[in-house]
Amino acid sequence: QVQLVESGGGLVQAGGSLRLSCAGSGSIFRPNVMGWYRQAPGKQREFVAAMAGGGSTNYVDSVKGRFTISRDNAKNTVYLQMNSLKPEDTAVYYCNIFLGGVSFWGQGTQVTVSA
């Protein structure tokens, strides 16, 4: 099994920054893709960013230039640096790892951006 634990969410004013972390443990093997999704109230969960073990990245258009994903393969940890936050970034952010054809999810961390 795989466990993912997120941290770093909170309340921030518009224009501010937050850094999310997600530590993975358990039966994690490579190759894998680690990433972040978010779900705002009343909306479906959406993809935010992902990073493969080799370093390739992908972002949803709405966060390009503001968010940066990175990972530490030795620690099975993925990060999301979020700058220039906007109220529309408010959501529960979920960590995800995709390996062996299976997705695993963290419990989520709340990010709230006030206007």
Side-chain angles (χ1 to χ4, degrees):
Q1 269 294 0
V2 173
Q3 296 80 41
L4 300 171
V5 178
E6 301 104 331
S7 60
L11 173 64
V12 64
Q13 289 187 334
S17 298
L18 283 173
R19 188 188 193 216
L20 305 182
S21 299
C22 171
S25 61
S27 303
I28 296 176
F29 54 87
R30 298 185 185 96
N32 62 65
V33 178
M34 298 188 79
W36 293 92
Y37 289 70
R38 66 187 179 186
Q39 187 166 17
K43 295 187 177 182
Q44 291 188 332
R45 190 173 299 188
E46 68 167 353
F47 168 80
V48 176
M51 188 172 192
S56 61
T57 60
N58 193 23
Y59 297 90
V60 67
D61 285 347
S62 60
V63 307
K64 286 180 180 178
R66 300 188 298 123
F67 291 10
T68 302
I69 189 170
S70 60
R71 60 186 285 174
D72 184 331
N73 289 333
K75 297 180 179 179
N76 291 320
T77 299
V78 64
Y79 307 94
L80 187 67
Q81 178 66 43
M82 304 185 294
N83 299 329
S84 302
L85 282 160
K86 304 175 181 180
E88 51 264 44
D89 295 318
T90 295
V92 177
Y93 283 70
Y94 295 91
C95 178
N96 172 272
I97 185 169
F98 183 76
L99 71 166
V102 180
S103 270
F104 297 90
W105 297 92
Q107 81 285 355
T109 185
Q110 177 70 46
V111 172
T112 303
V113 185
S114 63

